[in-house]
Amino acid sequence: MYPFVTIGEYHAALNANITSCREAVVFYLSQIQQHTSLNAFVHVFEKDALEKADELDKKRIEGKSTGKLHGVVISLKDVLCYKDHPVTASSKILAGFQSLFNATAVEKLLTEDAIIIGTTNCDEFAMGSSNENSTYGPVKNFLDDSRVPGGSSGGSAVAVQAHLCMISLGSDTGGSVRQPADFCGIVGFKPTYGRISRHGLIAYGSSFDQIGVLATNIEDVALVLSVISGTDEFDSTVSNLPVEDYLSELQKPNSKKPVLGYFKQTLLHEGLDPEIKSTHLSLIKELETDGYEIKELDFDLLDFIVPAYYVLTTAEASSNLSRFDGIRYGHQETPPKDDLTEFYSANRSSGFGKEVQRRIMLGTFVLSAGYYDAYYTKAQQVRRLLCDQTKLVFNDIDVLLMPVSPSTAFKIAEKSNNPIEMYLADIYTVFANLTGIPAVSIPLFQHSNELPFGLQLMSKHFEELSLLRLGNELMKKHGPVKKCI
Ligand code: GLN
């Protein structure tokens, strides 16, 4: 078997001629083939990946300079554009659509010699927490195939979890990178809003969306993050702050221990699994013993964050998804109807799945004349309060600790008929998207039900390095997966 541990070790093995890019691609193609029942991939680019591997092997053997992600085998969530390859947002409405250009993040991966092996299944238009809302059917958790992998980047999480690729790029609007990483026992990193260009990422909620990285370890996240971050003339919301070399910074010794904090209310929440709660409390004690200063903080807005998130993201989605009407883009019903409005309606009714339709209607409603102030304006006010409070919190602490999800991976179909219950489970992840701060989910624990769960770390804007440092330290000391305390 091909033993992938980190990109660094893989590169050392390539340079020592112990392996080749072709061998890596062949290994992952056979893994994908063996695990089709997980339903993690929607398209596999076998021919392209093998050709690219050969090209890279030749380049390396000839002694030419190699990119930072030389031969790294990466999958893309089916919402990221890869020129001349299909992209469908796991929706029938985009069936048969091919990307006309590369997303900036994808372009940057390719410039550094990455190999794109395929696209991964997800909730339709990234709307969901279980990967059950996909036109391709549900993705299964590799640890227990009767359970969901989380969502919406469920295919990406399983692709990394089941060793179907080395790294996957996902998108995180309200937790879609961190929560599936949590359910699958891997690392999921969502950077600061604006750290990575959103150009070529199919939009869900544009003021929330951010590309994120799913990997087995923090070093790989650090490397990929420094490649895909940075300015871009195609995205006016991207930051022009210089991008750090996160991996080298990570490898330098860091003498100063960050001040940690947690919101009391997050651990007192009635929906939180008791074992997840007690494990977090024990970890806090252990960290104190290890010399960390930890502050217990008050957060009285907890009950408002999920409603605010769903009002604002559905409002943005209703506008973003209006372009998919079967004329400009997307699936067309046949035969076409004579009346244009009826034609749009027929195309959208059959092209979009139930959950997407629900959100478009909800978003249209909260933006409608009589209700705008009651819902949309109110939710914007909550967002403003959260941002103000976040600034104050990070005056006192460096890193905020939180659970990722109130439970471990649940059974397929367990919540699919109860959208409210599904939405409420996003309680710990949407905060980082409402405020734009970076957050990472690291796999540290194992529940008595044998499923993994992790710890979430958040910092102030553009302090990705603090998260990577602490995440790395905690994973080395407490991880990768520790039994519940
Ligand atoms: N579960 C959240 C939702 O359904 C998050 C989705 C996401 O981050 N793309 O909106």
Side-chain angles (χ1 to χ4, degrees), residues 77 125-129 151-152 171-177 204 309-310 313 359 423 426 430 433:
K77 180 177 180 179
F125 284 95
M127 296 177 187
S129 312
S152 62
S171 64
D172 192 313
T173 305
S176 279
V177 162
Y204 160 16
Y309 167 83
Y310 276 95
T313 52
R359 294 197 192 198
Y423 296 169
D426 294 335
V430 296
N433 306 79

